[in-house]
Amino acid sequence: MEGNSFKVRLRKDFRRNWSLYVLVLPVLIFYAVFMYKPMYGAVIAFQDYIPARGVSGSDWIGLANFQRFFQSTYFVRLMRNTILLSLYSIIFGFPAPIILALLLNEVKNRKFKSLTQTITYLPHFISLVVACGMIKDFCLSTGIFNDIIVLFGGERSPLLQNPAYFRTIYTASSIWQEVGWGSIIYLSALSGVDSQLYEAASIDGAGKWKQLLNVTLPSILPTIIIMLILRMGSLMSLGYEKTILLYNSSTYETADIISSYVYRIGLLEQDWGYSTAIGLFNSVINCVLLVITNKISKKCTETSLW
């Protein structure tokens, strides 16, 4: 009975909103073809995959690829570098667009505000290859960063050749690239804050700082939490593109991360099964972190993705 009633409701809803179903159909097809169908390829992680034999013809080796990764001399280094770079991005990069949005929200001069937004948005639209080329030039011994260091009494050195500086350069350049673009969502959240709340706080004698703490931040807190949950869900998913454009053999100790290692193993050394196993392990960790973070957030703040 329940199944029949559901079908009847679905049929009626389809007749009433058929245009909406047609509208969402391309999205469903896209996800089915480009997101869910390729997940079948994850079985390669459990095989000694040989392209000429295909998935069905390659030998099954169980968890051997995973054991090989866990016992690898690179495992600790890759995990450490990936986690540290992600934590640096969260600690320093995550608050940056929030702070920028809060500052821009206080600017009353529209022309200055628009100019500032444009300047901070621009790095996001620069090609990553071009941006990394600029960073490399700036970090040369004759680059602008070394000019600044010399100005303050330091000595010139090729900064990107020094493993100790890689994480700082990576994190700072990521903030430069994404702080303006990331502030858009927080500016949208700030535009939805009821102005009457500020008026009431002002009548009660609250200054700008107290209004920020008691009105502004609580109003956009759900947005901040949702963005943090999503960020934690991609903790292990640092893109390999920027890393391989900036690192070199002398900085592997602090720069080599899981995604760059997968790139070298999978595309350069063509060890398909091993690289797929590493990627699958990475995805599972991200999924677990997303679920845990969402559960903690739901319990502590009653704000969550589901």
Side-chain angles (χ1 to χ4, degrees):
M1 290 294 292
E2 291 182 3
N4 291 333
S5 63
F6 173 75
K7 290 179 181 179
V8 171
R9 291 198 306 272
L10 182 61
R11 196 178 296 115
K12 288 181 179 179
D13 188 66
F14 181 78
R15 290 198 192 101
R16 188 182 304 112
N17 302 305
W18 65 271
S19 59
L20 297 178
Y21 283 94
V22 173
L23 190 65
V24 79
L25 188 60
V27 179
L28 296 177
I29 294 174
F30 172 83
Y31 273 91
V33 174
F34 295 103
M35 299 296 176
Y36 290 101
K37 185 180 178 182
M39 290 175 68
Y40 171 70
V43 300
I44 297 173
F46 305 94
Q47 294 180 318
D48 180 16
Y49 180 71
I50 300 175
R53 296 182 183 178
V55 175
S56 58
S58 299
D59 297 330
W60 288 85
I61 57 175
L63 300 176
N65 284 324
F66 295 93
Q67 292 174 351
R68 177 184 166 191
F69 178 56
F70 297 149
Q71 296 170 359
S72 169
T73 55
Y74 301 115
F75 177 74
V76 174
R77 184 180 78 181
L78 294 171
M79 291 294 293
R80 182 187 68 238
N81 292 342
T82 302
I83 292 173
L84 283 177
L85 275 177
S86 291
L87 287 178
Y88 287 175
S89 297
I90 291 175
I91 294 171
F92 300 105
F94 184 78
I98 301 174
I99 296 171
L100 177 61
L102 292 172
L103 293 174
L104 288 174
N105 190 55
E106 296 298 323
V107 176
K108 304 305 178 184
N109 189 313
R110 290 188 177 183
K111 289 185 178 180
F112 179 76
K113 185 176 182 179
S114 299
L115 178 63
T116 304
Q117 287 179 291
T118 302
I119 292 173
T120 55
Y121 293 170
L122 279 177
H124 174 80
F125 297 100
I126 299 176
S127 167
L128 186 60
V129 176
V130 175
C132 289
M134 293 169 60
I135 295 168
K136 282 186 173 182
D137 288 340
F138 294 159
C139 292
L140 292 174
S141 297
T142 56
I144 188 172
F145 291 158
N146 270 289
D147 290 341
I148 296 172
I149 291 173
V150 170
L151 185 64
F152 286 94
E155 297 181 357
R156 293 184 181 275
S157 64
L159 301 178
L160 275 177
Q161 301 295 323
N162 191 332
Y165 296 149
F166 182 85
R167 292 174 187 147
T168 302
I169 295 171
Y170 185 99
T171 305
S173 60
S174 295
I175 294 174
W176 166 68
Q177 287 178 274
E178 300 299 333
V179 64
W181 184 254
S183 67
I184 293 176
I185 191 168
Y186 299 109
L187 285 170
S188 300
L190 287 168
S191 66
V193 180
D194 191 349
S195 60
Q196 293 182 354
L197 295 175
Y198 292 109
E199 293 173 3
S202 180
I203 292 172
D204 289 339
K208 288 293 184 181
W209 180 249
K210 288 189 176 180
Q211 289 179 27
L212 172 67
L213 295 178
N214 297 302
V215 177
T216 307
L217 288 179
S219 297
I220 65 171
L221 187 60
T223 302
I224 295 174
I225 291 174
I226 292 297
M227 296 303 294
L228 180 60
I229 293 172
L230 293 173
R231 183 65 188 83
M232 289 298 297
S234 59
L235 181 71
M236 305 291 289
S237 295
L238 287 173
Y240 70 90
E241 299 93 342
K242 184 175 180 179
T243 302
I244 64 174
L245 287 169
L246 291 179
Y247 79 170
N248 52 72
S249 57
S250 63
T251 58
Y252 278 174
E253 186 59 32
T254 58
D256 199 18
I257 57 177
I258 291 177
S259 58
S260 61
Y261 184 67
V262 169
Y263 167 81
R264 293 202 308 276
I265 295 297
L267 295 182
L268 301 183
E269 299 183 18
Q270 299 182 351
D271 196 340
W272 313 108
Y274 183 44
S275 61
T276 304
I278 300 172
L280 182 59
F281 164 76
N282 204 36
S283 298
V284 170
I285 296 297
N286 279 330
C287 184
V288 171
L289 288 172
L290 178 64
V291 173
I292 292 174
T293 307
N294 187 74
K295 188 173 182 180
I296 294 173
S297 175
K298 187 175 182 179
K299 185 175 181 180
C300 297
T301 66
E302 298 183 357
T303 301
S304 61
L305 291 174
W306 64 83

